[in-house]
Amino acid sequence: MLHRTTPTPCLRARLLATTALAAFAGALSALPSSQATAAGFALKEQSAKALGNAFAGATAGAEDVTYMFFNPAGLTRQEGHQAAVVGSYIIVSGETNNANAGVGGESTSGDAAEDAFVPATYLMWSASPDLKLGVGINAPFGLTTEYSQTWQGRFHAVESAMMTVNINPAIAYRVNENLSLGFGLQFQYMDVTLSQMSPGGLAEITGDDWGYGVTLGALYEFSDTTRMGLGYRSQVSQTLEGSFTVGGAFFSNAEAKFTSPDTISAGVYHEYNDKLAVMAETVWTRWSTFDELRIEDGAGSLISNTPEDWKDVWFFALGATWKPSENWTLRGGVAYDQTPIPDDRRTPRITDEDRTWLAIGAQFHPTPNITIDAGYTHIFIKDAVVNLPAGYTTPALPALTANYENNLDILTVQAVFRF
């Protein structure tokens, strides 16, 4: 006779953790790098719930385990254990119809940007009512653009692909009834491919590396309905090592140093009543760490050097949440996102410009221990201009002019399990 056994809380935790990690690994195996959805090549899509508010109040909201990406201290507001699986589908277009480098070939790029699916997963364990442990696995940066090998700008760019995976264990502790503090580590893997045409054929550079950083957070609760959060994600420095090939033949080892930017964020969250809440967010990103893209061979000789001179930028967001019933929550938000790229440093690899976000979202509680969230945003991106002089990265490189039209839509869904 078979006996039915009810899983213990520890067994349920292991099962949910295994399921979340397996789902992430499966998605990651098919993951193309995405066109960046935030300024530069950052990816904000780490939480469907936060996306529904255009990330307003992400540092202070602490509404579930996914908010640990923005502020690890917010874990102290969560009870029991949690597992979350997040998936974002990014629909992007970026094309020019008037590229001119004086070298013959198509003046149109077609749609150089590629749609992508970006996963994330989060786990949290309550060691005590005041001590929480969590881990997030996500992709904080990403980029893919790919042009025809016969377009006018082919000597500047054909393929540009960046993929990152960031593993972020964190700990949060409630110091007293008002203040919580959080600390985390970042273990970040980055893989980059860059290619362009040369007299010898397609020249391609690849490289990858692991880098390390930290995350910090603080959450201050003025009352049960009002709180403020501060978050910090540090720089991560990496030395990307790989190869340089021309026409499919190995030419040399290649190396490039890159430091991803650090960010400082501040948010506020306030509930007017049990139906309505409002929130706001501001984020400063130190993109000035990206001053050049210098690529050398194994002997230290220069292969190419692209001046970047990116600037530090701000992100601002306002949002609101309305709860019409016990099982449903509706969200909305607007945001403004500055580009870090100076007009005279814009290249066809990243044709970023200032962005305006409009976001909506909804949450459904099918059971007391499961929440399903969906968020959608349309990002309006200013038309971008590329105007590069001859010899911009190497002496023989032709000048390039082009006007770009960019559009971006994001749909993010997530499931959070509490046990």
Side-chain angles (χ1 to χ4, degrees):
M1 182 176 179
L2 297 177
H3 295 276
R4 190 171 184 177
T5 302
T6 301
T8 65
C10 289
L11 178 57
R12 288 199 298 268
R14 289 196 296 271
L15 289 172
L16 284 171
T18 302
T19 301
L21 290 172
F24 178 81
L28 188 63
S29 66
L31 172 67
S33 308
S34 75
Q35 171 72 1
T37 57
F41 41 84
L43 296 172
K44 285 185 175 291
E45 291 64 46
Q46 314 301 336
S47 167
K49 188 174 291 186
L51 176 73
N53 294 124
F55 301 100
T59 310
E63 296 188 52
D64 62 34
V65 65
T66 64
Y67 283 68
M68 68 170 285
F69 179 88
F70 312 101
N71 182 359
L75 289 173
T76 62
R77 286 189 55 83
Q78 310 307 315
E79 297 180 357
H81 314 307
Q82 290 187 27
V85 180
V86 185
S88 297
Y89 188 66
I90 299 168
I91 304 168
V92 61
S93 65
E95 60 182 66
T96 178
N97 295 312
N98 63 349
N100 182 19
V103 295
E106 300 97 336
S107 60
T108 177
S109 68
D111 188 359
E114 296 185 5
D115 298 349
F117 176 76
V118 179
T121 193
Y122 301 89
L123 303 169
M124 189 205 79
W125 178 60
S126 292
S128 74
D130 294 328
L131 180 64
K132 313 291 180 174
L133 306 176
V135 62
I137 307 175
N138 43 57
F141 302 98
L143 170 72
T144 293
T145 54
E146 188 167 5
Y147 301 86
S148 163
Q149 294 185 14
T150 57
W151 85 293
Q152 283 271 336
R154 60 190 178 273
F155 295 104
H156 288 263
V158 172
E159 180 184 10
S160 307
M162 170 189 287
M163 185 272 289
T164 60
V165 177
N166 190 292
I167 303 170
N168 181 198
I171 183 172
Y173 181 69
R174 182 178 292 277
V175 179
N176 54 46
E177 64 179 10
N178 301 112
L179 178 65
S180 297
L181 301 176
F183 170 78
L185 299 173
Q186 297 186 70
F187 303 91
Q188 181 168 288
Y189 174 76
M190 179 177 288
D191 183 279
V192 175
T193 298
L194 302 174
S195 70
Q196 61 198 64
M197 296 306 293
S198 73
L202 182 69
E204 183 177 82
I205 295 171
T206 62
D208 65 344
D209 190 28
W210 282 89
Y212 310 96
V214 300
T215 60
L216 303 172
L219 185 70
Y220 193 85
E221 300 175 66
F222 297 94
S223 68
D224 291 339
T225 59
T226 304
R227 51 189 179 269
M228 180 180 70
L230 295 173
Y232 173 73
R233 294 184 69 87
S234 76
Q235 300 176 1
V236 177
S237 296
Q238 294 168 268
T239 300
L240 304 169
E241 297 181 340
S243 63
F244 175 41
T245 60
V246 178
F250 178 80
F251 186 81
S252 175
N253 294 321
E255 177 181 296
K257 297 183 184 300
F258 174 73
T259 299
S260 60
D262 49 343
T263 61
I264 300 174
S265 56
V268 293
Y269 176 96
H270 174 68
E271 296 177 6
Y272 278 107
N273 50 48
D274 59 358
K275 298 285 187 182
L276 178 65
V278 294
M279 60 285 299
E281 189 84 7
T282 183
V283 183
W284 177 79
T285 304
R286 198 201 319 240
W287 274 114
S288 57
T289 58
F290 192 32
D291 58 348
E292 65 177 4
L293 179 58
R294 182 181 181 87
I295 303 172
E296 300 176 345
D297 64 17
S301 299
L302 183 67
I303 295 176
S304 70
N305 187 29
T306 304
E308 301 290 352
D309 299 323
W310 285 20
K311 56 189 178 183
D312 303 334
V313 294
W314 290 89
F315 172 89
F316 304 98
L318 296 172
T321 297
W322 178 52
K323 190 173 182 179
S325 69
E326 187 66 25
N327 293 331
W328 284 95
T329 303
L330 303 178
R331 304 174 186 279
V334 297
Y336 178 71
D337 201 5
Q338 293 180 322
T339 179
I341 305 177
D343 288 341
D344 61 348
R345 292 292 187 249
R346 188 173 295 108
T347 76
R349 296 196 185 279
I350 308 176
T351 59
D352 187 43
E353 253 291 2
D354 293 345
R355 306 164 180 232
T356 301
W357 299 53
L358 290 179
I360 57 174
Q363 175 184 285
F364 175 57
H365 268 280
T367 75
N369 295 324
I370 298 175
T371 56
I372 306 296
D373 283 89
Y376 166 79
T377 187
H378 178 75
I379 301 179
F380 300 89
I381 307 175
K382 288 177 59 178
D383 292 347
V385 176
V386 171
N387 188 9
L388 299 176
Y392 187 68
T393 60
T394 57
L397 197 68
L400 173 66
T401 59
N403 295 324
Y404 280 83
E405 294 182 0
N406 301 309
N407 288 286
L408 186 58
D409 294 275
I410 307 164
L411 177 63
T412 303
V413 295
Q414 73 178 43
V416 177
F417 306 90
R418 296 171 173 83
F419 47 94

